[in-house]
Amino acid sequence: MQVKDRVLEALEGHRGTYFSGEALAKELQVSRNAVWKAIRQLRDQGYPIHAVSNRGYCLAPDSAMLSPQSIAPFLTVPGLQVEVQPVVTSTNQVLRQRAEEGAHEGLALVAVTQTAGRGRRDHSFFSPPDSGLYLSFLLRPDLSARDALSLTTCAAASVALAIEECAGVDAKIKWVNDVFCHGKKVCGILTEAALDLETGGLQYAIVGIGVNLFPPKGGFPPELPEAGAVFPTRPQGLEGRSQLAGSILNHFFSFYPHLKDKPFFADYRRRSLVLGQEITVLEGGQTRTAFALDLERDFSLRVRETDGTIHTLSSGEVRVRPAHG
């Protein structure tokens, strides 16, 4: 762990308390000059660290900055390595490079903002700073490519559970990977994987999650009419990103060892936005109307077509049709 991370950990653990440079140096067993350089690096990254003569350094008690130290108190799953970066192209892209370099399973990356966030079908993902949670984590599952959908559905269930736990807001899941609150999309999930050609299984997988916690300044772009936020307005004095990050990771990695048994199936199905609804199916560049009947155990969607035939969808995109009347 770098000196600046150790300094941040010490300050984070005692928010609002001043530490002298000498006390920090002694506690961390480094030089006072190393502490001073670490403080400067942290300030350059945007951390609001106050300095007062004869008192020392203090991390502002109302700071909403994300850091591994701000997330750690909310984690209950051992063995995870959490990193936070202020700006990345996309958390999935950065982790994919780390995976190719041999990074271990359980590495999670959180970003304050993304300059090239991506969704499914190469759509861009709006990732403004200080209003969302942008999180990806690396997996090396014993799983066939065919069963990789379980990773996405497990993530969707984990996000819905975490939102309800942290925000007290009902969350619904639109097949297969979007989470809705207040009738608006608040989360998108993108799972990417590398195939092991020798075994036919996955070499690694990266699950990327973007959650809109608060409306961004100026609102969402007009080209995103479906977009919403977990909190319609920013609650006074409430940040929530660190807690939500910890809760998502806790739920996912508690399910993950039993992935093949799909212990999250009931949670996912109970929160379905589409079951029992008339839907528009977007498949192969065409659209058609169908009725969503049920969810199969492999998370394929059983539908009834307008001609009365019943079959399952294993891919594609669906939209809930507005009620008539």
Side-chain angles (χ1 to χ4, degrees), residues 124-154:
S124 62
F125 187 87
F126 185 55
S127 310
D130 296 324
S131 64
L133 173 68
Y134 316 113
L135 162 70
S136 293
F137 44 86
L138 171 62
L139 306 169
R140 295 191 181 275
D142 179 16
L143 203 64
S144 68
R146 174 178 184 176
D147 294 325
L149 184 61
S150 293
L151 298 173
T152 301
T153 51
C154 181

Side-chain angles (χ1 to χ4, degrees), residues 1-12 21 24-43 45 47 49 57 69:
M1 185 184 291
Q2 296 182 24
V3 174
K4 71 177 180 65
D5 296 321
R6 294 167 62 197
V7 169
L8 179 60
E9 186 174 48
L11 295 176
E12 183 75 54
L24 279 171
K26 184 176 181 180
E27 179 176 330
L28 303 178
Q29 297 184 329
V30 297
S31 67
R32 292 185 64 177
N33 188 53
V35 169
W36 179 80
K37 287 182 178 179
I39 295 292
R40 187 175 62 179
Q41 290 174 329
L42 291 169
R43 282 176 163 171
Q45 290 182 12
Y47 288 96
I49 298 175
Y57 305 106
Q69 292 77 18

Side-chain angles (χ1 to χ4, degrees), residues 284-297:
Q286 298 182 327
T287 63
R288 66 182 190 276
T289 300
F291 188 84
L293 294 170
D294 206 350
L295 198 65
E296 302 294 338
R297 193 70 185 176

